[in-house]
Amino acid sequence: KLGDFQTSLYPQISNLHTIAATGGLDLQQVALNNLEMITWQTVNDLVTAIPGLSNLPVRQVQPIAQLFAKSDLRSNLSGHLSDSIGAVLSTSPALGELALGDLGEQLDSFAITDIPGLENIPLQNMSDWENSTVSGVPGLSNVPLDQMPNPVGAVGILGMVDVVYGPAEQSRSNTISGSRQSGFTAACQ
């Protein structure tokens, strides 16, 4: 989970645009459902996270327009698709509690760039960003550790510590214990 690295690599201060540029991704070609944390973002979360989103007309942000249209509250929308998202939310606050995950498979049909500004905000602006996996952020697993906001060179090497408590645990392979003299795959003893 990203939260496991928040005090070492600081992935939360990265944004999707920078991550994509490092990994050579075109965010216009990356489906919105590839961003794991988008599924638990409510419309209110997005309006809080993305500056200016509330000023855009509903019809300009297709994932939100579809979410509103799919909602049981859609009757509140008739004639209001050209109104700003903020105006619609002020007249129908319950629409703000809808989560993008409610779109289900429809998230496949939208690109990350279909939510204007999403690619330019730090990941930490998103609600519960800490619970997303590294693979749940498009391109993040391809960012070299020395290009993270707090690169590995500045913090050392990351590795899981596995303590040997008895003879049954001594025969381990591919450990990070050892040294340059005996190698770094030396068995635990």
Side-chain angles (χ1 to χ4, degrees):
K1 301 213 176 202
L2 292 182
D4 294 339
F5 301 103
Q6 68 182 331
T7 59
S8 57
L9 297 173
Y10 301 116
Q12 69 272 22
I13 64 175
S14 297
N15 64 49
L16 294 171
H17 176 77
T18 304
I19 293 167
T22 303
L25 283 179
D26 178 2
L27 292 175
Q28 292 179 335
Q29 303 300 317
V30 178
L32 194 53
N33 71 330
N34 288 317
L35 180 61
E36 179 182 26
M37 65 183 85
I38 203 68
T39 61
W40 59 77
Q41 302 302 308
T42 66
V43 175
N44 285 336
D45 291 335
L46 291 176
V47 165
T48 301
I50 304 170
L53 186 65
S54 65
N55 300 327
L56 297 177
V58 172
R59 71 167 35 116
Q60 188 176 333
V61 186
Q62 279 302 302
I64 291 177
Q66 285 294 318
L67 184 62
F68 287 175
K70 185 178 178 179
S71 161
D72 292 337
L73 303 168
R74 65 185 169 272
S75 61
N76 298 353
L77 280 179
S78 60
H80 296 287
L81 289 176
S82 58
D83 290 350
S84 73
I85 294 169
V88 169
L89 292 179
S90 68
T91 59
S92 299
L95 289 171
E97 298 305 317
L98 299 173
L100 267 74
D102 294 340
L103 286 172
E105 293 181 9
Q106 278 186 299
L107 279 176
D108 289 344
S109 62
F110 301 110
I112 285 176
T113 54
D114 286 338
I115 299 179
L118 177 62
E119 71 274 12
N120 296 317
I121 62 166
L123 296 176
Q124 68 188 358
N125 283 21
M126 304 285 274
S127 177
D128 295 325
W129 64 269
E130 307 94 334
N131 292 318
S132 182
T133 59
V134 172
S135 62
V137 178
L140 186 59
S141 63
N142 296 326
V143 175
L145 293 177
D146 66 351
Q147 292 182 27
M148 292 297 285
N150 190 33
V152 166
V155 296
I157 295 178
L158 302 174
M160 183 179 286
V161 175
D162 189 6
V163 178
V164 176
Y165 290 107
E169 296 178 326
Q170 286 184 355
S171 66
R172 302 279 181 167
S173 59
N174 297 324
T175 66
I176 60 169
S177 62
S179 66
R180 291 190 177 155
Q181 291 79 24
S182 63
F184 287 95
T185 58
C188 294
Q189 295 179 11

